Amino acid sequence: MPPARGLTCNGGRRARRRAANGRQPNLPPPSPPPRALPAHFRLCARSTSGAEPESARARGAGAERGERREGERAVTGMGEFKVHRVRFFNYVPSGIRCVAYNNQSNRLAVSRTDGTVEVYNLSANYFQEKFFPGHESRATEALCWAEGQRLFSAGLNGEIMEYDLQALNIKYAVDAFGGPIWSMAASPSGSQLLVGCEDGSVKLFQITPDKIQFERNFDRQKSRILSLSWHPSGTHIAAGSIDYISVFDVKSGSAVHKMIVDRQHMGVSKRKCIVWGVAFLSDGTVISVDSAGKVQFWDSATGTLVKSHLIANADVQSIAVAEQEDSFVVGTAEGTVFHFQLVPVTSNSSEKQWVRTKPFQHHTHDVRTVAHSPTALISGGTDTHLVIRPLMEKVEVKNYDAALRKITFPHRRLISCSKKRQLLLFQFAHHLELWRLGSTVATGKNGDTLPLSKNADHLLHLKTKGPENIICSCISPCGSWIAYSTVSRFFLYRLNYEHDNISLKRVSKMPPFLRCALQILFSEDSTKLFVASNQGALHIVQLSGGSFKHLHVFQPQSGTVEAMCLLAVSSDGNWLAASGTSAGVHVYNVKQLKLHCTVPAYNFPVTAMAIAPNTNNLVIAHSDQQVFEYSIPDKQYTDWSRTVQKQGFHHLWLQRDTPITHISFHPKRPMHILLHDAYMFCIIDKSLPLPNDKTLLYNPFPPTNESDVVRRRTAHAFKISKIYKPLLFMDLLDEGTLVAVERPLDDIIAQLPPPIKKKKFGT
Amino acid sequence: MVQLRPRASRAPASAEAMVDEGQPASEEEEAEHGLLLGQPSSGAAAEPLEEDEEGDDEFDDEAPEELTFASAQAEAREEERRVRETVRRDKTLLKEKRKRREELFIEQKKRKLLPDTILEKLTTASQTNVKKLPGKVKEVNLEKKNEDCEKGNESKKVKVQKVQSVSQNKSYLAVRLKDQDLKDSRQQAAQAFIHNSLYGPGTNRTTVNKFLSLANKRLPVKKAAVQFLNNAWGIQKKQNAKRFKRRWMVRKMKTKK
């Protein structure tokens, strides 16, 4: 029995994310259970607010989906809040195009259709630790790791790019001069790179320590080379094209065999058969997957077909073979992922054959890429989910880690908030949107939906110049400055508000060292701007009126360049905390412009950081769901943090699968920490006792009819609420107001490209 | 040998005719030879015979028109020559016309291009200035360039040939657009191929709405489609209605007061 089944209703479970409140007023009541998950993962969502949607107004027409649901009153046991439920952030992630798994470091590189490349650390709880922003003209078609942790990608613009994983930028781009590049494969030794181009040529490149060097061309073929695979010994390669597969000899560069692929399984079809993937095994078998839905086994010594499996009605688009060559995985356009294994024919015999063992239906759209790690199957496709399915027989310890992981929502914050003016800044790939929250004058009981007296306002739609994606953006707390950064430029705008009108003025001549910033932050009084660049430097810029002045730059400590990922500034403006990818968190003294202290390094990356207003305690959340509190003036961990570490967190808290992306504080209650991840938000009350493993973690309301004693016994420090999910952002606007930005999964799916038609009986 | 047709004997003029007939006889032979050689002079050969016949009927009224074969041949040759000449003249005329047109086009093109002096400067400058680009960037007016230039300083400089202008008062950049166009068109063709093979005709695709509504259809209590309402229908009508309502309310308020 898979361990996942044992964990049911109590708190933080993954895959329970049902948009149980799909509250479009005009649509029929709540949506059906998950389409992609098998039955035993389904769960009825427990939601405390059973309020019926009443005056929720559908917003906008056409593309602008999402409604503005205002002011629910929520009681979390920590006081009453009015909650702005925001659903007009039209965030649609781009589909996954390629995935590459690196065995030595257990990292996964994922490239998306908009050109973004993300690197996930699979051992750090599947956290996205690095990313490279995308570019409009870059249509990546292939991604691969080479020897020495080097990452290469090739795309339809004809260039091979190498990524610098330390400085988080692109080292160089080499044009292959063969037209658009469709496929790329690194040799088993890792020192050579092979690319297949549009004009039918296969080019061999030598990987030198600092660049790649063109070596030679292989025999040119008639049509484009769509897939490549090396033989494990490096002597032969298989190249899949349209209607045929060629086997080349690497030394001579000539085609040894040309195997013609049937257009349809035992039939005639007019459409060309595109060989989407090939894999070369060490015994000389070539496995090919094509657009007719077949998986075929060929013998490369004779160039003949050995076995053919018809597994789908649509294309089979990807294939990945395990290192031991006893199993491989294929992904189809219908969203199904099949696992093939080499099984003995009978239980005693030594003869083995390839058998299709398991189908997995975790995707709704095309699965364009798959990867096979030693213990898991990884798949990604047009429906933007990254699904990691550990294989039960390969996993040693059958605990919670062996359950399905589905990464849908970003691991970084895309929204910033100006509390004074109640503005939200949404970051998209090529533009920014500024919204003002609506307001209400009504009051009500817990769980009520309050009618809006003033609707939310779309104030600004700011398009970026140029083809590059926006890396990060921020709005100042007073709402008069907006800053964002792309790879080549840094933009700073000044906003003026007069009587409901807004005017924008750009601050020109920004210094070039501010470009490619990974994180931008304004100080509380909006006089200083902190920019963390990818070179490891931290810049402080003084803002005044409509101009700026560069104050100081903190260079990285050691000689190595390390990109600074997260920043946090204290509300009195004295302290600035910056976290890198491997070193501990550095805390700088802003007034004296020097390094104050360094929080000891922890082996899991930091996912969120914040400095408490009065006590100046730095609260850090890591990707393994640990939360630390470090006192900056005392330069040591606080007592509360030590107690928590001694006791340990509740096991359900540690088993949440989405990282904490934002931490904030209550201005009047110094004992409260508000944090959230994609499926819950939690207020930690440091004055209450900590829960041990036996207590219930998720207890929304203690029942009122029970005595006070029972209430006090079951109350603990972690007040979790799962009313608003999936959450992209949650913050405290003022003492009695919260803002929660949700993004229902249905709204994302509704804007995806068309899937393959499925014929079901009875429809 | 040729079989000559029996001729009616001619009377007084026969003496002259005899002399002349001797010639036609030989000329007919020649004509026959001509026929053997393949000259298309059957008409020409037939003519003198016919005319002779006609001449035989009417020789009392007029002197017969002696149209010898040679003259007819000469006439025919003249005709041909005339035709050939006209054709040649036409051809030369056309050629001249075309030449003139081409010159006109070349001139127009020249007018479109930059003046020669600047082109010279550019070509000489390109040979020396490619390496000095990073330094000279700041001299040129940044506003004229787009992002490509700044990016180009770091990477991808090989293909795009950028040339600095030497003159102080003008600030522009010459870029070879041929390279960019070629790359873009190939990339677009590649993307069109992918789109066609995945979403083009022959693929079995359906809309997201239909796909998600399949589950609704199979439930024990059938439900409507996921995106049942089309919010984009009748936007203009709805806006007009809203405006009308607002105006009507205002009017009502006014009349009430």
Side-chain angles (χ1 to χ4, degrees), chain B residues 1-16:
Chain B
M1 282 305 288
V2 177
Q3 285 280 341
L4 294 175
R5 277 191 291 147
R7 296 241 174 130
S9 59
R10 298 177 187 183
S14 58
E16 295 172 4

Side-chain angles (χ1 to χ4, degrees), chain B residues 34-245:
Chain B
L35 278 172
L36 287 172
L37 289 170
Q39 252 185 4
S41 51
S42 52
E47 263 183 21
L49 296 172
E50 286 174 8
E51 298 224 333
D52 279 339
E53 279 184 322
E54 281 177 29
D56 285 340
D57 289 333
E58 302 174 62
F59 73 91
D60 288 321
D61 300 328
E62 307 172 345
E65 260 188 85
E66 288 284 348
L67 214 62
T68 57
F69 175 71
S71 65
Q73 207 176 44
E75 248 188 64
R77 287 215 184 102
E78 271 282 333
E79 281 276 345
E80 280 179 45
R81 196 174 52 82
R82 249 181 276 138
V83 166
R84 258 183 271 144
E85 280 230 20
T86 45
V87 165
R88 214 186 304 136
R89 245 182 284 133
D90 285 339
K91 274 199 192 155
T92 46
L93 272 172
L94 262 177
K95 250 195 188 170
E96 276 183 38
K97 228 187 182 180
R98 263 185 250 142
K99 243 194 200 168
R100 260 183 270 134
R101 264 225 185 126
E102 266 205 55
E103 282 169 13
L104 181 68
F105 287 154
I106 291 173
E107 261 215 56
Q108 283 179 348
K109 253 196 179 167
K110 257 197 167 167
R111 264 184 260 146
K112 267 193 175 177
L113 291 175
L114 298 169
D116 276 330
T117 47
I118 301 184
L119 280 178
E120 268 179 32
K121 274 197 207 160
L122 287 176
T123 43
T124 50
S126 72
Q127 280 141 21
T128 53
N129 272 7
V130 179
K131 281 197 186 149
K132 291 193 216 157
L133 263 176
K136 290 236 174 174
V137 168
K138 290 171 195 145
E139 289 182 12
V140 185
N141 197 352
L142 276 169
E143 279 163 16
K144 293 261 175 156
K145 286 191 269 180
N146 48 1
E147 258 68 47
D148 287 357
C149 183
E150 291 174 1
K151 265 195 323 188
N153 288 337
E154 272 85 48
S155 63
K156 306 188 230 177
K157 228 189 295 182
V158 185
K159 302 165 305 302
V160 184
Q161 211 178 38
K162 288 188 192 149
V163 174
Q164 290 283 335
S165 105
V166 186
S167 56
Q168 289 276 318
N169 44 3
K170 294 197 196 120
S171 52
Y172 50 81
L173 206 66
V175 177
R176 255 185 81 177
L177 288 177
K178 250 199 291 179
D179 298 338
Q180 300 290 99
D181 275 348
L182 200 61
K183 250 205 318 195
D184 281 341
S185 70
R186 280 211 273 190
Q187 196 173 344
Q188 269 177 19
Q191 274 168 348
F193 162 72
I194 274 267
H195 186 85
N196 266 345
S197 50
L198 287 178
Y199 298 101
T203 51
N204 200 11
R205 299 270 169 181
T206 175
T207 62
V208 175
N209 185 18
K210 285 192 192 156
F211 181 77
L212 297 177
S213 311
L214 272 181
N216 281 358
K217 285 189 194 177
R218 301 191 75 203
L219 291 173
V221 179
K222 310 276 182 271
K223 286 198 254 181
V226 169
Q227 286 166 5
F228 185 65
L229 283 183
N230 183 6
N231 288 328
W233 179 87
I235 301 174
Q236 194 57 41
K237 278 193 187 170
K238 286 185 193 163
Q239 273 179 4
N240 291 345
K242 208 161 77 168
R243 231 180 293 141
F244 176 75
K245 190 162 66 168

Side-chain angles (χ1 to χ4, degrees), chain A residues 36-252:
Chain A
L37 298 172
H40 65 266
F41 277 124
R42 246 179 260 162
L43 197 68
C44 46
R46 291 210 325 199
S47 168
T48 52
S49 72
E52 277 307 298
E54 27 106 330
S55 50
R57 311 247 314 262
R59 166 142 187 91
E64 189 77 53
R65 279 205 67 194
E67 57 173 281
R68 185 72 183 82
R69 301 256 336 280
E70 177 63 50
E72 291 204 356
R73 294 202 67 86
V75 177
T76 58
M78 299 274 104
E80 294 212 337
F81 296 100
K82 268 195 201 171
V83 181
H84 292 246
R85 285 184 86 160
V86 171
R87 286 196 181 181
F88 42 80
F89 180 26
N90 195 13
Y91 165 70
V92 180
S94 35
I96 296 179
R97 178 63 189 93
C98 324
V99 156
Y101 176 73
N102 185 320
N103 206 354
Q104 282 123 10
S105 56
N106 203 17
R107 279 181 164 79
L108 190 69
V110 172
S111 101
R112 297 191 178 245
T113 50
D114 63 351
T116 322
V117 174
E118 300 159 350
V119 179
Y120 289 83
N121 189 344
L122 298 188
S123 30
N125 206 18
Y126 305 92
F127 179 63
Q128 176 197 316
E129 53 173 20
K130 295 178 192 169
F131 78 100
F132 299 88
H135 194 278
E136 246 173 25
S137 67
R138 217 189 285 162
T140 334
E141 285 285 322
L143 196 64
C144 74
W145 290 93
E147 168 197 35
Q149 306 289 315
R150 299 170 73 168
L151 185 61
F152 292 92
S153 84
L156 295 182
N157 56 359
E159 293 174 348
I160 305 174
M161 285 188 261
E162 182 173 356
Y163 294 90
D164 186 348
L165 292 166
Q166 256 66 48
L168 292 190
N169 60 5
I170 295 181
K171 263 195 206 161
Y172 54 82
V174 171
D175 197 325
F177 295 110
I181 300 177
W182 289 99
S183 52
M184 185 165 69
S187 69
S189 59
S191 56
Q192 286 176 315
L193 206 59
L194 207 63
V195 292
C197 307
E198 165 91 0
D199 57 359
S201 57
V202 179
K203 297 179 195 284
L204 187 66
F205 284 82
Q206 187 77 23
I207 302 179
T208 59
D210 52 334
K211 245 200 161 190
I212 57 173
Q213 181 98 15
F214 175 72
E215 221 181 278
R216 59 194 161 97
N217 265 343
F218 285 15
D219 274 357
R220 194 158 150 184
Q221 301 294 305
K222 287 223 174 58
S223 28
R224 37 178 77 97
I225 308 283
L226 288 162
S227 45
L228 284 175
S229 172
W230 286 82
H231 188 268
S233 65
T235 52
H236 287 80
I237 59 161
S241 182
I242 303 180
D243 280 336
Y244 65 88
I245 304 167
S246 342
V247 178
F248 290 88
D249 175 44
V250 174
K251 257 214 171 108
S252 63

